[in-house]
Amino acid sequence: MVHMTQADENDELCLWVLHSGCDSGTTFGRANGVHSVIRRYGIDMQVEQTSREWCILGNGTSPFSAKGDSGAVVADFNGRIGGMITGGSAPPGGDKFDTTYATPFWWLLKRIQQKGNFPNATLNVQV
């Protein structure tokens, strides 16, 4: 899902994605190829947790997600799973996120296989 061949309303390359969240329902948004590395530090300033997050913006007229959508799967229009919503950022006092963050599925699957009791976990869906 890293090859962006679609364009938004400003003719900028993006990947159109969708999700169906508990709060916002089914929405469409624009994902880019940028992933942020997120590190959470403890009191002793040692890294306690590291994750990757994928930025997804609304479709230009409405936000991509809202409070209560965490855990929803993000997919492209071909049905390929790209990630899982983990949070977002809203203007002060707002509950609709203008920026949504999703953990890429490849990053999640790798950790599920390594750290869990599921070394053979896969998402080999046949349609």
Side-chain angles (χ1 to χ4, degrees), residues 19-25 27 64-73 84-87 96-97 100:
H19 90 287
S20 182
C22 288
D23 189 53
S24 63
T27 61
F64 183 67
S65 67
K67 290 180 181 178
D69 287 345
S70 293
V73 169
M84 181 182 72
I85 293 178
T86 54
K96 302 291 184 191
F97 298 150
T100 297

Side-chain angles (χ1 to χ4, degrees), residues 78-92:
N78 293 316
R80 297 178 295 178
I81 294 176
M84 181 182 72
I85 293 178
T86 54
S89 175

Side-chain angles (χ1 to χ4, degrees), residues 9-26:
E9 67 277 4
N10 298 316
D11 287 329
E12 294 182 25
L13 287 179
C14 69
L15 176 65
W16 285 99
V17 293
L18 59 98
H19 90 287
S20 182
C22 288
D23 189 53
S24 63
T26 301

Side-chain angles (χ1 to χ4, degrees), residues 34-52:
V34 177
H35 290 174
S36 299
V37 175
I38 308 299
R39 294 180 185 91
R40 302 202 198 300
Y41 294 90
I43 295 173
D44 59 359
M45 294 309 293
Q46 297 297 313
V47 176
E48 291 184 350
Q49 183 180 6
T50 302
S51 68
R52 282 190 174 244

